[in-house]
Amino acid sequence: MKKKIFIVTLLCCFGLKAGAQQYLSREAYRDKVEAYSQVLKQQRLKTMASTEARKIANTGFLPQIDITAEGTANLNHLDKWNSPKGEYRPYTYQALATLAQPLYTGGSLIAQKRMAQADEELSQLTTELTLDQIHYQSDAVYWNASAAYASLEAAATFQDIIKKQHDIIQDRFDDGAISRTDLLMISTRQKEAELQYIKARQNYTLALQQLNILMGAAPNTPVDSLSEISIASDPVDILGLDDVLPRRADYASTTVNIARSEAQRHAALSKYNPQVSMFLATGWDTGITYMGQEIPHTPVAGVNVSIPIFRWGARFKTNRQQKAFIGIQKLQQSYITDTILEELSAATTKLTETEQQVKTAKENMALAEENLDLVTFSYNEGKSSMADVLSAQLSWTQAHTNLINAYLAEKMAVAEYRKVISE
């Protein structure tokens, strides 16, 4: 009874609060972790930066206006600063406003725009991939805390079983009905149960602290009631590789990387293509030597044309180099496909195997409980030895531990499968 009271006190201080309690579902916890995640916030800022980079790339197609001004003074002839018109003055100046418009850049502007668009898509896909990782991590922490609570309850139950048996044996020893050996054996098992409970309490407290920290709460903040580890998981849809590939952000990234490499090839080749631009400039310029004359306003229009002629085959070599990079990205796509297939196969297998583990663990637990009841009853009737009781108790606690581990493995298999199919 004291142990049960202690559990309630522990839950009030470090974990699940006693009494009426708001239920914290796996989905609600996932949302809290997602809202707090610093990694996700960083990635979203990176996506924002890539969006601005795409907008910057688009400005390359637009006219550009620049204003430049420059002045000089000859310090050796400052006395001639206000000399008569037509005579030397020791200063010059110019002010120029220029409107420039690229007409053809060899395809570099278009290529840079496509590269910026690809970078933005890659950042968005990385955000999706980060979100999948966060969801999987939150599910893992959630179910680990639920399993830790189940282990704590099991340890308390086991301690209660041992205590009841110890009290019976203590009474029989006091009456002189049994030897001290049996009392020593059950007393040793009682201490083992106490150590098991202390370890379970520690694991549970640590699990709750991790649960809180991941969603941005103080480590020892009381946690709302969680789903029991034994609760049945929601059914999942078994998908094939063709259905999973379009859902995976890492696979979509390979397609974008191929397109980006193609745009990068055009950008690298653009410097070997003709370049055409036009400009319109207007301003005032004294010239190299200023003689004090009136400075006329001089508008100027012009066209710049650059045609590369001979580069020792650099264009063809650059083209082969960039095509090699594209080939690398295509091979990466094939590698990612194989990796996803491997993950999908493993996750599907774990779903089936963990389901069988839970079924077997339940059957084993039922047998262990029945065996413990029968052996304990037989011992109390004087028909079994203390060794049989200790063996049955050990089998019970092992069976209970195996059942909790099987439940946890099943929950983690579902979480892993959801991560694989990007659900």
Side-chain angles (χ1 to χ4, degrees), residues 147-207:
Y149 176 65
S151 296
L152 181 62
E153 284 189 320
T157 301
F158 184 62
Q159 216 175 6
D160 188 55
I161 292 173
I162 301 302
K163 184 180 183 306
K164 290 179 180 179
Q165 188 64 33
H166 179 273
D167 292 342
I168 294 174
I169 294 175
Q170 182 69 57
D171 292 339
R172 295 178 66 182
F173 174 75
D174 294 340
D175 294 338
I178 58 173
S179 65
R180 183 171 175 78
T181 302
D182 287 0
L183 180 60
L184 291 174
M185 293 173 69
I186 195 62
S187 297
T188 301
R189 178 52 53 85
Q190 188 175 31
K191 289 299 180 182
E192 292 174 354
E194 184 177 350
L195 289 173
Q196 181 178 330
Y197 178 82
I198 294 173
K199 183 177 180 180
R201 184 179 62 196
Q202 171 186 315
N203 292 338
Y204 176 66
T205 304
L206 293 175

Side-chain angles (χ1 to χ4, degrees), residues 72-83 88-91:
T72 65
N74 188 337
L75 301 182
N76 290 329
H77 299 283
L78 293 179
D79 56 325
K80 296 183 178 181
W81 192 272
N82 294 317
S83 62
Y88 172 77
R89 292 186 180 180
Y91 61 87

Side-chain angles (χ1 to χ4, degrees), residues 54 87 103 168 325 412:
R54 174 184 56 80
E87 294 183 11
L103 300 178
I168 294 174
F325 292 149
M412 292 308 303

